[in-house]
């Protein structure tokens, strides 16, 4: 197993994915979509047993695996109970991704509808600014940075530029990626150049991940259709926000562009986070969560799928098994921390 794929990298992805359940808007108005099922029915869709359902009702966090859509994907399913109403969870987490649950979150800014960063200073090459600037200026196809062929050429044209100029170019790259996705959806996501005539296609990853969300298609078809066909057919009751997040990983800054969608289904909610661009370490992430009112609070059913080129090739199944377990452990720890925080409020 490559050193670059060990615990820190998996832990980083797990923390990022876990924050996906932060919901960015206070929602209202019931939707015409079919209401979510009971906790028993939804857990049965993932082959959880009746004993697992009771364990959740008793306050345990229960996890399982689900079929990955490729040899480069990690997938995990978790169900747990928060002893608070869904609206309290939404209100507590409406500020978006923060460092409260993930110390590697350095800064977050929202991207407004006009396509500008609310706080441009979030996009700074820290930590390791000088070295990171040189990585961009000398970028080549590969996994040091997730860049398209055109993006690599644009940084090569800045040869000799200082860190401030490179940071400005990174901001322009992120906003261009946002604008392309906002106007074209998955079709607007440029591939990552990996080598001679080799590319990674995050759009294909995210499309497969959405197609695999059969429970979403079954119980929330309007949400599913909006997620799959974005930006077409957005229901009025579906709320969305976009974030640019800066993480620190292995002494380097990691930038992620995240779309957050949330929609009420009667007294329940369905939420999804899609990281449609990440500057390095992994390719993309998609997480879907259902918040179901139950007798003792709110049950959360959470499915995460993360794709990374570190998993492909020889020994992929073994690397998947190790990575999946590590990711599930990290997400579990973060959710337990979040549940404790909510109970104390």
């Amino acid at each position: 197993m490559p050193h670059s794929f060990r615990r820190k990298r998996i832990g980083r992805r797990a923390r990022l994915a876990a924050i996906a359940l932060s919901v960015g808007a206070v929602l209202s108005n019931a939707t015409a979509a079919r209401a979510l099922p009971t906790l028993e029915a939804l857990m049965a869709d993932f082959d959880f047993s009746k004993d697992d359902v009771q364990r959740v009702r008793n306050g345990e966090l229960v996890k399982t695996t689900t079929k990955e859509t490729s040899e480069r994907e990690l997938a995990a399913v978790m169900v747990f109970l928060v002893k608070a109403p869904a609206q309290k969870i939404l209100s507590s987490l409406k500020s978006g991704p923060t460092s409260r649950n993930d110390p590697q979150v350095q800064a977050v800014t929202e991207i407004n509808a006009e396509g500008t960063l609310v706080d441009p200073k979030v996009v700074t090459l820290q930590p390791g600014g000088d070295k990171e600037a040189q990585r961009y200026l000398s970028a080549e196809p590969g996994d040091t940075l997730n860049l398209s062929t055109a993006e690599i050429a644009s940084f090569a044209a800045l040869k000799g530029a200082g860190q401030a100029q490179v940071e400005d170019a990174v901001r322009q790259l992120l906003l261009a990626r946002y604008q392309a996705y906002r106007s074209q959806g998955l079709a607007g996501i440029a591939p990552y150049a990996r080598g001679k005539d080799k590319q990674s296609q995050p759009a294909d990853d995210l499309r497969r991940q959405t197609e695999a969300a059969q429970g979403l298609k079954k119980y929330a078809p309007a949400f599913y259709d909006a997620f799959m066909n974005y930006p077409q057919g957005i229901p009025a009751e579906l709320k969305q926000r976009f974030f640019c997040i800066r993480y620190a990983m292995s002494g380097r800054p990691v930038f992620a562009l995240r779309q957050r969608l949330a929609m009420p289904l009667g007294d329940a909610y369905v939420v999804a986070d899609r990281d449609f661009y990440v500057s390095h370490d992994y390719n993309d992430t998609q997480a879907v969560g259902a918040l179901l009112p139950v007798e003792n609070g709110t049950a959360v059913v959470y499915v995460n799928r993360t794709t990374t080129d570190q998993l492909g090739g020889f020994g992929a199944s073994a690397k998947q098994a190790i990575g999946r377990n590590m990711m599930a452990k990290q997400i579990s720890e973060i959710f337990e921390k979040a549940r404790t925080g909510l109970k104390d409020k």
Side-chain angles (χ1 to χ4, degrees):
M1 186 176 191
H3 176 74
S4 60
F5 183 66
R6 294 185 180 179
R7 179 173 299 273
K8 286 186 178 180
R9 185 164 290 205
I10 290 296
R12 161 67 190 84
R13 284 193 291 271
R15 293 186 181 96
L16 171 63
I19 298 172
L21 280 179
S22 303
V23 181
V26 178
L27 304 174
S28 60
N29 301 325
T31 176
R34 187 197 306 185
L36 286 171
T38 63
L39 179 62
E40 289 82 357
L42 194 55
M43 288 183 66
D45 285 343
F46 292 101
D47 297 323
F48 284 105
S49 68
K50 291 183 179 179
D51 287 342
D52 290 330
V53 176
Q54 189 57 50
R55 288 171 59 198
V56 171
R57 292 189 181 279
N58 292 340
E60 293 185 48
L61 187 152
V62 181
K63 54 194 174 185
T64 189
T65 60
T66 189
K67 184 178 180 180
E68 279 98 358
T69 66
S70 78
E71 67 175 8
R72 298 176 300 112
E73 181 181 282
L74 299 172
V77 182
M78 297 185 187
V79 188
F80 58 95
L81 181 68
V82 178
K83 293 185 177 180
Q87 279 288 359
K88 182 176 180 180
I89 299 173
L90 293 170
S91 298
S92 298
L93 300 173
K94 67 181 181 179
S95 60
T98 71
S99 59
R100 287 194 302 272
N101 291 330
D102 184 356
Q104 294 194 68
V105 173
Q106 291 193 308
V108 180
T109 184
E110 192 158 1
I111 306 175
N112 62 30
E114 291 73 32
T116 58
L117 299 167
V118 173
D119 182 3
K121 294 181 180 179
V122 164
V123 182
T124 58
L125 298 180
Q126 295 297 334
D130 289 342
K131 289 184 179 180
E132 195 67 13
Q134 288 305 311
R135 289 188 181 99
Y136 278 96
L137 293 173
S138 60
E140 298 178 346
D143 61 5
T144 300
L145 287 165
N146 290 334
L147 298 173
S148 68
T149 300
E151 289 164 346
I152 291 173
S154 70
F155 283 105
L158 296 176
K159 186 176 181 179
Q163 180 177 328
Q165 191 174 352
V166 175
E167 287 175 344
D168 186 61
V170 173
R171 294 185 191 104
Q172 293 177 39
L173 179 157
L174 293 170
L175 290 176
R177 287 259 179 184
Y178 161 81
Q179 293 283 14
Y181 178 78
R182 188 71 187 260
S183 63
Q184 302 175 60
L186 296 178
I189 301 177
Y192 304 148
R194 291 301 191 222
K196 185 177 181 180
D197 300 325
K198 292 179 63 177
Q199 295 181 327
S200 283
Q201 300 280 357
D204 292 346
D205 300 334
L206 294 168
R207 188 174 290 106
R208 286 193 302 268
Q209 291 166 11
T210 307
E211 289 172 347
Q214 290 303 304
L216 192 63
K217 186 175 184 179
K218 177 180 178 181
Y219 298 115
F223 189 100
Y224 175 89
D225 289 343
F227 207 26
M228 176 63 78
N229 301 314
Y230 183 85
Q232 305 300 319
I234 301 296
E237 62 271 25
L238 188 146
K239 308 299 181 183
Q240 69 171 329
R241 297 173 73 185
F242 288 87
F243 298 94
C244 178
I245 309 162
R246 187 177 91 243
Y247 294 90
M249 180 60 189
S250 301
R252 295 182 60 190
V254 179
F255 301 104
L257 293 177
R258 176 172 298 172
Q259 179 189 32
R260 173 165 298 155
L261 297 175
M263 190 169 76
L265 298 177
D267 294 331
Y269 296 88
V270 60
V271 299
D273 274 9
R274 173 182 279 171
D275 287 5
F276 57 92
Y277 175 73
V278 185
S279 60
H280 60 88
D281 263 28
Y282 64 104
N283 295 12
D284 47 77
T285 288
Q286 191 159 281
V288 178
L291 278 60
L292 304 171
V294 294
E295 184 177 351
N296 297 320
T298 302
V300 179
V301 181
Y302 171 85
V303 184
N304 169 263
R305 295 180 182 274
T306 297
T307 304
T308 170
D309 288 332
Q310 297 293 326
L311 284 174
F314 180 76
S317 60
K319 289 186 284 187
Q320 273 182 310
I322 295 169
R324 187 188 305 122
N325 291 336
M326 293 170 64
M327 182 175 73
K329 180 178 184 297
Q330 293 289 340
I331 295 174
S332 299
E333 292 172 352
I334 292 171
F335 278 147
E336 292 290 2
K337 182 178 178 181
R339 287 202 297 173
T340 301
L342 281 167
K343 283 193 299 184
D344 292 342
K345 291 185 178 181

